[in-house]
Amino acid sequence: MAQTLRLDPQGTPVPPTEHPDAEKAAALKRMKNIALGLLVFMAVVFCFAFAFQEHYPWLTYVRAAAEGGMVGALADWFAVTALFKYPMGLKIPHTAIIPNRKDEIGASLGDFVETNFLSEEVVSQKLATTRIAQKVGAWLSKPASAQRVATEGAAALRGAIEVLKDDDVKDVIESMVRKHVLEPPWGPPIGKLAERIFAEGHHHALVDLLVDRSTTWIRTNHSTISGLVSDRSPGWVPQFVDGLVGDKIYTEIYKFARAVQDDPRHEVRLQLDGYLKDLAQELQHDPAMIAKAESIKAQVLGDPEVRELAGRTWETIKSALTDAAEDPNSELRLKFAAAVQDFGTRLVEDTELAEKANQWISNAAAYLVGTYKHEITSLITETVERWDAEETSQKIELQVGKDLQFIRINGTVVGSLAGLAIFTIATLVFG
């Protein structure tokens, strides 16, 4: 079946990508062929030297070297092969070590990593010299980096908003409102807050505003006040008397309002202060007033109102966050990027802050390693256990098999030298 060629953006055919292990497999095969070729070469040399050594005595030394090389090559071939499979299919004891002991190897590898790499001391020492906070700060202080963080954060925010279900969020908001707003009684906390406000005199500004507005309204509504007097007087009273009475009442009301306005210690103000302070105390301690406040709360925030409030709140938040995430120039994203860049600059310039950050990172990493190192290393053990025995052997041979073939080559060379040396020494000693 013909393979379909992929095209790059310019329309140029892209050659098919080889399997990532294809190069390693080719190198392993090449080294195996070299080792095998060297063994065959030694066998040919041995046969030639053995056949002609009577005619050429010096060939006995060549024969001894070739014989030793063959022995070394075969011995190392057996040793290397026994790691991954049964040599020539013979189930010799202590062969095919990796397939037969796969699970034990995985467990040992996990224990090795846990003991030597995932210890709190090792992690803490490494992080102490890494200066992560300063490096992160230097990266974050760059405008492009801060903008990238803001972009990635916006993408994460959009994803979270898409995943969240509106009804679920509304239920959460509603439950929070009920738990933190509706269920606690309103009277005591409102009374306590009002008591502090009234004791410190913060309400006087509001009283002044009300008095000023009332005085201004009275001054500009002479006809309205006079008209109220005329409308409520008996019909037999002459009209000019109504006018005189209305003017008199207007004048007295206006004088009274001006007096309250001008005198901070006016009796009305003092009475109002006393009433407000008593109200604050009643909201805290009077069961009848507390019950009345609860009744007002129930009337204002019933079930439909709370549900509607939760819905409007989530819609407002969702709309604001979505708009901010979609717009690269939104105020929220710009401020977030500026805050990230400022934080990065502080990590670089503020040594004390950087040291605190490094210490926190070190402590957090040490805690995670100390608490979850067994779970981390279990990934190695469980992964190896899931592997097929033959597949595991192939994977490991693919990774280290090329280097192991050098053992066969070295064994051939060392065997040749050893055979030559042994034969030479024996000849010199025994003749």
Side-chain angles (χ1 to χ4, degrees):
M1 182 177 180
Q3 185 176 8
T4 303
L5 291 178
R6 295 184 296 109
L7 302 179
D8 63 12
Q10 287 74 33
T12 304
V14 178
T17 303
E18 293 185 355
H19 192 276
D21 291 333
E23 185 176 349
K24 293 181 180 180
L28 175 61
K29 183 178 181 180
R30 183 167 57 253
M31 291 304 301
K32 283 184 175 181
N33 291 335
I34 292 174
L36 178 60
L38 193 56
L39 172 60
V40 172
F41 173 74
M42 287 295 173
V44 171
V45 171
F46 172 79
C47 293
F48 178 83
F50 187 83
F52 294 98
Q53 62 183 352
E54 293 183 359
H55 302 285
Y56 305 96
W58 59 270
L59 286 178
T60 55
Y61 292 93
V62 176
R63 184 209 70 194
E67 189 175 4
M70 286 192 298
V71 172
L74 289 172
D76 288 336
W77 165 82
F78 182 88
V80 172
T81 303
L83 288 173
F84 306 103
K85 62 186 72 174
Y86 293 112
M88 296 182 295
L90 301 176
K91 294 187 177 181
I92 303 172
H94 304 291
T95 58
I97 295 174
I98 292 177
N100 291 331
R101 303 188 62 185
K102 169 181 66 70
D103 294 345
E104 297 177 30
I105 294 173
S108 299
L109 180 59
D111 292 339
F112 176 79
V113 172
E114 180 177 342
T115 303
N116 296 279
F117 295 95
L118 295 181
S119 66
E120 297 181 35
E121 182 179 358
V122 171
V123 173
S124 298
Q125 289 178 353
K126 179 60 179 178
L127 292 178
T129 59
T130 304
R131 297 170 59 86
I132 294 180
Q134 287 85 344
K135 293 179 180 179
V136 172
W139 186 78
L140 291 177
S141 62
K142 300 177 182 178
S145 301
Q147 188 60 43
R148 180 178 177 181
V149 172
T151 301
E152 297 298 334
L157 181 61
R158 286 196 300 269
I161 292 175
E162 292 177 0
V163 170
L164 292 174
K165 295 182 179 179
D166 291 346
D167 290 339
D168 293 341
V169 177
K170 291 176 183 178
D171 290 339
V172 171
I173 295 176
E174 183 179 356
S175 64
M176 292 178 62
V177 171
R178 293 186 183 279
K179 180 178 180 180
H180 299 287
V181 178
L182 296 185
E183 292 181 2
W186 281 14
I190 293 177
K192 188 174 182 179
L193 177 63
E195 182 181 10
R196 180 179 300 177
I197 293 174
F198 299 152
E200 296 176 359
H202 296 305
H203 65 292
H204 290 156
L206 178 60
V207 173
D208 290 341
L209 177 62
L210 294 175
V211 171
D212 291 342
R213 290 295 181 89
S214 300
T215 304
T216 301
W217 185 87
I218 294 171
R219 178 169 53 83
T220 57
N221 287 274
H222 176 275
S223 59
T224 302
I225 297 174
S226 298
L228 290 174
V229 174
S230 300
D231 293 340
R232 285 164 175 74
S233 65
W236 49 268
V237 177
Q239 187 174 359
F240 75 91
V241 174
D242 290 339
L244 294 175
V245 173
D247 290 341
K248 180 63 177 177
I249 291 176
Y250 167 79
T251 301
E252 293 299 325
I253 292 177
Y254 183 66
K255 287 171 60 179
F256 177 78
R258 286 297 304 272
V260 175
Q261 184 182 30
D262 297 337
D263 185 5
R265 302 293 302 172
H266 193 276
E267 182 65 21
V268 173
R269 289 178 178 268
L270 298 178
Q271 291 290 336
L272 181 60
D273 286 349
Y275 171 76
L276 292 176
K277 292 178 180 178
D278 291 341
L279 177 61
Q281 292 296 323
E282 291 174 357
L283 285 171
Q284 297 180 72
H285 308 294
D286 185 3
M289 182 59 71
I290 295 175
K292 185 179 293 185
E294 289 301 298
S295 176
I296 296 173
K297 178 184 71 175
Q299 294 175 8
V300 174
L301 292 177
D303 288 340
E305 289 78 10
V306 172
R307 187 64 182 174
E308 184 180 357
L309 174 63
R312 290 201 306 268
T313 301
W314 170 237
E315 292 298 331
T316 301
I317 295 174
K318 180 179 178 180
S319 177
L321 292 178
T322 303
D323 293 342
E326 294 292 342
D327 184 8
N329 298 317
S330 65
E331 185 177 359
L332 179 61
R333 285 185 61 169
L334 293 177
K335 287 186 176 181
F336 180 74
V340 169
Q341 187 175 355
D342 178 68
F343 178 68
T345 303
R346 289 181 59 198
L347 284 177
V348 174
E349 299 177 353
D350 191 338
T351 304
E352 183 178 357
L353 176 62
E355 291 303 323
K356 287 182 179 180
N358 284 328
Q359 187 62 43
W360 182 86
I361 293 172
S362 179
N363 293 340
Y367 171 79
L368 291 175
V369 167
T371 306
Y372 300 105
K373 62 181 179 181
H374 182 69
E375 285 75 9
I376 296 173
T377 55
S378 66
L379 176 65
I380 299 174
T381 305
E382 294 172 1
T383 300
V384 174
E385 288 177 353
R386 288 195 300 268
W387 284 351
D388 177 72
E390 183 177 354
E391 180 186 2
T392 303
S393 179
Q394 293 174 353
K395 286 178 179 291
I396 297 177
E397 184 179 14
L398 198 61
Q399 299 301 320
V400 301
K402 176 184 175 182
D403 295 326
L404 291 178
Q405 298 309 310
F406 281 105
I407 295 178
R408 294 175 58 187
I409 296 173
N410 293 336
T412 305
V413 175
V414 172
S416 298
L417 297 176
L420 177 62
I422 293 172
F423 181 78
T424 302
I425 294 173
T427 301
L428 292 175
V429 172
F430 300 105

